[in-house]
Structures are given as C-alpha cells and as structure tokens.
Amino acid sequence: MNERKINFKNKKILIYGFGKSGISCFNFLKGNNTCTIYDDNTKNIPTRFKKKLINIKKLLNISFDFIVLSPGIDINKCRISAYLSRNRPKIITELDIFEISYPNINKITITGTNGKSTTSKLLHDLLKNNKMDVRLTGNIGYPILMEKKIKKNTIFVIEASSYQLDYSQYFKSKYSVILNLNPDHLERHGTFKNYVNAKFKIVKLQTKNDYTFIDSENKILNELVKKRKIKSKVIKIDYFKYKKYFRLIDNIYFKNSSNRKNLSFIFNIAKVLKINFKTVINTANKFKGLDFRQQIIYQSRKLLIINDSKSTSFSSSVPLLESYKNIYWILGGLAKKGDKFKLNKKYYSNIKAFVYGKDRNLLINCLPSKIFCQSSLTLKKILKNLKNNIKNDDSKKVILFSPSAASFDQFKNFEERGKFFNKNIKYIIKEARK
C-alpha cells in the first residue's frame, strides 16, 4: 500500500480490543467508515456499542480494509490468531490512524524500558511552561485520538510502548527518543531481539529532517544505529555534559541516576527546540512526578518512603537501590521472564529485602546471598513484618516499595497495587510522626 493514498473514508474497519484505545478509535473512525467491534470479553463493553459487536463465526468470513488492534492483544495467543496472521498487512494501530490523519503535526515520541512516563510528563510540563500548545498522550493513559482542537503549531508528546510500536506500520515521529533498553515483556515478544526491534520501529520511517535521541551508553542502540543506516540526525546523550546544571536542581526526585538520565534527555531536546535551560531547571524544580512512579509518600529527617509500584523489573529498581542507604526494599509479584538482578556488590550492605507474592522464592533466588531477605505470601503480611523490623532502627532509613515484578498475582494493575501500599503504610507514617 502506498502511504500517500491511505485514507479513512468508506472503509470496512474491524476494531479488535475495546478498552480506552479501542473506544477512541471507534469514535474517531465511525463517521466516515463502517466500524465493527470484536473483543474476547464482551461483558465490559458499554451497552451503546453492543450493536456493533460481531461474533467469531461471522468475523472469520468477512474481509476488512483495516484491522485496528489494541496494544493489549497478543497476536500469537488470541482467539483469532490464525485470522490475524492471514491478514497481517491490514493490521494497524491508533498511532497509525493519527499519523495518516495528521501527517504534518509535530510529534515527540518517547519509548524505552524504564522512565517513559516520567520523561513524557516532564517534557510536557517543560513545553507547557514555554507557552506551547502541547498534548500528552499515548501509553501514559490518554488515547491520542481523543484530542480535539488540534492546530498547526500543536505539539504531541507521545509515550509509546513496545506493544503499540510492534503493530504500527505508518507511524512516524519528528523527534524520536529511546531512553534505554533492558530485557522486558519477553513473555509477549519471545526474545530480547524482537523486543528491541519493536522499540526501534520508532526510528525506521524518519527522514534526514528528523531527530533521534538515544542513550550513548547503550551498546545495543549504538550498534543498531550503525547497522541500519538511520536517516535522521542521531543525538547521543552525554550524561556528564549537564552535570553542572544538576547542581541548580533542588528536587529529591532527581536524586537517583535514572531520573538524572531522563533529565539529560530533556536538556538535549530543549537544546534542539531552542528552549532556554532556565526553563528546564525551573520545570525540574517544580516537578512532582506521577503517582506510583518513584513517588515520595513521606519524608522526614529520619524516614523517606517511596512508592514505585510502576516498577515491574529489576532494571527499574536498581537506580533507586544505588541512590540511598539503609534501604528496606519491598518487592514481589509475578517475575518477568529473562529478568536479571544487576547491582554492584558495594551496595549490598545497604539493603534489606522483603519479598512477597507468588514468585517470591524465584525473586529471592535472583538476589545475591549477601542481601538480607525475608518473605511472606502477601504484601499486607510483608508490611507487618517490616513494621517489626524497623521499630528498633533509630537511624535514617528509606522504605522503598519497588516491586520489580508484575502486579497480576494479587492486583489487577500497578495503580491498584500502589494504592494498596499507600493505604497500608499509613501506620508506619503515623508512628514516625509521634
């Protein structure tokens, strides 16, 4: 198909997966097209959409012009896997729909294994503080097709997951950012190579007038840039280059190495966009972060409590473990396939680990024997154990809730897990305030 000839008028379109993304796609396309809905679980579909539902028997006998796939659908493990495989060239995403509908809108797309949401929100705040018409969308939870009143000068900051990029065919970004790459979502992608290739699609369709920002220390990314003859201007982030500016930032959120690296990307993007660094520094100092992403729940002279429920892999927890001393680290849940714990041994003595959940023994086996470990089945029990462990510790301490695993053994998502922690940590905060 020629990209220039693609349009969404008088087309037969199947929307598979009807969560927030699917609903936004349906509402965006329904005016000029015939849209049909299919979902493996029809119970949660709002009544007003049910007349557009199709059953699997009818679906298999219809030919569609496009199949819009929700990022949550695994093409290899769903009910219509064989049908999707036969029709793979027709599969598109909401990012493709946006690209085809608004090809000239400036987009800054951020991906990577860790830090996507934080960096996206920080960049959004920076552009907003610089008086720009900016929209924050994508995997951060705001469907891109729900945005209204889009103008020529509107800038979209898009957080893109590997799931979204994997199925996209036409999506292109003026500015593409790959923060980092570590093994993740291998239960979906199969191999680390497949995962990397999905992320790297953010760069493939760029031209010489576009920009790519990558981690200068990531060997995989640097090798890919060399091998694949990237057309865009590649900017490699030098973290030491902005060290002098970090001294001007008085925000505990940027104490750890991961957020300082995220901020280095922001400095580089600001330079390309010709935004004064004073605005970057002011934005960073006022930045409050996002819920359950290295979120400061409580801070006093003797106690710091961090809720990092969004952490689902060891690589996302390690920068925090490197940043503090006397850490009571709470982790647990469903371990990620292929995940490995990589932390310099000089930090081991700073950590006491409290491990819960279905895969607690597997997670403990991943940790070095020199790290103290205690385990329980549930998060609630582990928090009770924690209370007993810290009551006689009068030194300065950090309670770090950074699970390094998926939430689905006990919670429906990381948000529910994060709220549970906040509710049940209150008794420790109450004691600290006495």
Side-chain angles (χ1 to χ4, degrees):
M1 271 186 281
N2 188 317
E3 184 180 354
R4 293 182 181 179
K5 293 182 180 179
I6 298 172
N7 62 66
F8 295 111
K9 288 186 178 179
N10 303 317
K11 297 293 191 299
K12 290 172 67 176
I13 299 173
L14 174 67
I15 297 172
Y16 181 16
F18 213 62
K20 283 194 291 186
S21 171
I23 291 172
S24 67
C25 290
F26 180 88
N27 289 333
F28 187 87
L29 296 167
K30 66 180 181 179
N32 297 312
N33 306 278
T34 302
C35 295
T36 303
I37 301 167
Y38 178 75
D39 197 290
D40 293 329
N41 183 5
T42 60
K43 290 181 182 179
N44 297 325
I45 293 178
T47 305
R48 67 185 184 276
F49 296 112
K50 296 223 170 175
K51 61 183 178 180
K52 293 293 183 179
L53 275 169
I54 190 171
N55 63 46
I56 192 167
K57 190 174 180 180
K58 288 183 179 179
L59 167 66
L60 298 177
N61 293 309
I62 296 178
S63 177
F64 293 94
D65 296 302
F66 294 103
I67 300 171
V68 182
L69 210 58
S70 166
I73 304 296
D74 186 343
I75 193 172
N76 298 310
K77 295 179 181 177
C78 61
R79 292 181 66 192
I80 57 171
S81 182
Y83 178 82
L84 293 177
S85 183
R86 290 196 304 272
N87 291 279
R88 187 66 192 250
K90 296 179 180 180
I91 293 175
I92 59 171
T93 68
E94 60 180 329
L95 293 180
D96 291 325
I97 296 169
F98 183 79
E99 174 63 31
I100 292 163
S101 303
Y102 302 101
N104 298 317
I105 289 293
N106 274 337
K107 297 176 285 293
I108 306 174
T109 307
I110 297 172
T111 194
T113 304
N114 303 311
K116 298 185 294 295
S117 298
T118 296
T119 309
S120 297
K121 181 64 167 62
L122 183 57
L123 179 59
H124 166 268
D125 291 357
L126 171 65
L127 299 181
K128 192 173 182 180
N129 290 342
N130 207 52
K131 312 299 181 186
M132 295 181 179
D133 177 18
V134 57
R135 315 294 173 86
L136 179 62
T137 63
N139 191 56
I140 200 166
Y142 313 130
I144 195 167
L145 296 177
M146 288 181 66
E147 291 296 326
K148 309 292 183 186
K149 298 180 181 179
I150 300 170
K151 305 169 187 174
K152 287 182 180 180
N153 65 338
T154 301
I155 296 178
F156 276 75
V157 174
I158 305 164
E159 180 194 331
S161 71
S162 60
Y163 294 173
Q164 291 170 307
L165 295 170
D166 197 21
Y167 295 141
S168 295
Q169 293 193 57
Y170 308 105
F171 181 67
K172 175 182 174 294
S173 188
K174 173 75 175 175
Y175 308 93
S176 291
V177 181
I178 307 180
L179 298 172
N180 44 60
L181 284 177
N182 294 291
D184 201 7
H185 301 303
L186 301 191
E187 67 283 350
R188 167 78 169 261
H189 294 289
T191 66
F192 184 44
K193 183 180 179 181
N194 290 341
Y195 171 71
V196 170
N197 286 337
K199 291 286 191 185
F200 209 70
K201 286 180 78 174
I202 199 174
V203 175
K204 281 177 68 176
L205 295 180
Q206 286 189 301
T207 69
K208 64 180 181 179
N209 297 318
D210 302 324
Y211 293 84
T212 297
F213 302 83
I214 66 168
D215 177 0
S216 62
E217 297 175 356
N218 193 291
K219 293 179 181 179
I220 296 168
L221 279 172
N222 283 279
E223 286 173 7
L224 283 172
V225 166
K226 284 181 183 178
K227 286 180 182 178
R228 303 205 179 171
K229 298 178 181 178
I230 302 306
K231 296 176 182 176
S232 58
K233 300 178 185 72
V234 177
I235 297 174
K236 298 181 181 182
I237 308 304
D238 180 355
Y239 301 118
F240 294 100
K241 187 176 181 180
Y242 300 98
K243 200 171 180 179
K244 62 181 179 180
Y245 296 107
F246 293 145
R247 299 191 192 103
L248 302 174
I249 295 169
D250 183 23
N251 186 340
I252 192 172
Y253 203 75
F254 296 99
K255 178 179 174 63
N256 67 75
S257 60
S258 63
N259 280 337
R260 283 197 295 270
K261 286 184 176 182
N262 295 337
L263 186 54
S264 296
F265 275 89
I266 299 298
F267 274 118
N268 275 270
I269 295 167
K271 186 177 181 180
V272 171
L273 296 178
K274 297 180 180 178
I275 295 173
N276 192 298
F277 280 5
K278 285 184 180 179
T279 311
V280 179
I281 293 163
N282 290 336
T283 300
N285 278 326
K286 293 176 183 177
F287 188 64
K288 293 182 179 179
L290 294 159
D291 288 348
F292 319 129
R293 296 161 172 92
Q294 302 180 17
Q295 183 182 14
I296 307 296
I297 298 303
Y298 178 79
Q299 183 179 5
S300 68
R301 188 173 58 86
K302 286 287 185 77
L303 178 63
L304 176 65
I305 302 177
I306 301 172
N307 185 338
D308 190 34
S309 179
K310 183 66 168 67
S311 162
T312 58
S313 65
F314 285 127
S315 64
S316 57
S317 299
V318 163
L320 289 166
L321 296 172
E322 294 173 339
S323 301
Y324 301 100
K325 294 180 179 179
N326 197 18
I327 301 170
Y328 290 82
W329 178 28
I330 305 163
L331 68 155
L334 293 179
K336 287 288 186 77
K337 179 182 176 183
D339 199 15
K340 294 180 181 179
F341 183 70
K342 297 178 180 178
L343 179 70
N344 191 303
K345 61 183 179 181
K346 70 180 181 180
Y347 298 107
Y348 294 173
S349 60
N350 293 333
I351 303 165
K352 298 180 185 72
F354 296 81
V355 192
Y356 74 92
K358 182 179 178 181
D359 288 344
R360 59 193 182 281
N361 292 328
L362 194 158
L363 291 166
I364 288 171
N365 288 335
C366 290
L367 301 179
S369 59
K370 289 185 178 180
I371 292 180
F372 167 87
C373 288
Q374 193 174 103
S375 71
S376 289
L377 179 59
T378 66
L379 178 55
K380 192 166 189 175
K381 285 184 178 179
I382 215 75
L383 288 171
K384 285 184 179 179
N385 293 345
L386 178 69
K387 182 182 179 182
N388 294 328
N389 275 270
I390 69 168
K391 64 182 179 181
N392 295 320
D393 185 354
D394 291 327
S395 58
K396 186 173 182 180
K397 51 194 168 289
V398 176
I399 296 175
L400 172 62
F401 180 49
S402 189
S404 301
S407 59
F408 309 124
D409 64 329
Q410 295 179 21
F411 305 95
K412 65 180 181 180
N413 52 43
F414 77 87
E415 289 97 343
E416 184 181 80
R417 179 168 68 180
K419 288 175 184 176
F420 182 90
F421 174 81
N422 284 353
K423 181 181 178 181
N424 287 275
I425 202 69
K426 284 180 180 178
Y427 59 80
I428 290 180
I429 295 174
K430 188 177 180 181
E431 287 292 321
R433 284 174 172 161
K434 287 181 179 179

